[in-house]
């Protein structure tokens, strides 16, 4: 059988991304310490920053739900 995929909790992902953004660790060093592929850290970092940008722009995660609820009413 194939190798089982490893999963990381949101808290672990956040800690890794924040340590890279703060400059405490480089991407390569964080990848070695946490046994994560560098490209995955880059992906998490991009997702983290994009979500922050969207939130600052006023996007709210529940906007789609609210819109659907109003449509249903």
């Amino acid at each position: 059988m194939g190798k089982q995929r490893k999963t990381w909790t949101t808290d672990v992902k956040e800690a890794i991304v924040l340590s890279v953004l703060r400059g405490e660790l480089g991407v390569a060093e964080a990848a070695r310490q946490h046994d994560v592929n560098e490209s995955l850290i880059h992906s998490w970092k991009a997702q983290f920053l994009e979500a922050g940008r969207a939130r600052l722009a006023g996007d709210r995660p529940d906007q789609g739900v609210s819109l659907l609820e109003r449509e249903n009413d």
Side-chain angles (χ1 to χ4, degrees), residues 11-55:
D11 292 337
V12 171
K13 292 177 187 179
E14 181 182 19
I16 293 169
V17 168
L18 288 175
S19 67
V20 169
L21 289 173
R22 287 185 195 121
E24 297 169 353
L25 294 174
V27 173
E29 187 178 359
R32 278 191 303 274
Q33 282 185 6
H34 297 281
D35 195 27
V36 178
N37 192 306
E38 288 182 40
S39 64
L40 193 52
I41 294 177
H42 285 293
S43 175
W44 292 342
K45 181 180 163 187
Q47 291 170 1
F48 184 86
L49 293 173
E50 183 57 36
R53 247 184 241 109
R55 184 65 183 107

Side-chain angles (χ1 to χ4, degrees), residues 68-73:
L68 288 173
E69 286 173 346
R70 279 184 293 209
E71 194 175 291
N72 287 338
D73 289 341

Side-chain angles (χ1 to χ4, degrees), residues 51-71:
R53 247 184 241 109
R55 184 65 183 107
L56 288 173
D59 293 348
R60 295 186 182 206
D62 64 344
Q63 276 183 330
V65 173
S66 298
L67 180 63
L68 288 173
E69 286 173 346
R70 279 184 293 209
E71 194 175 291

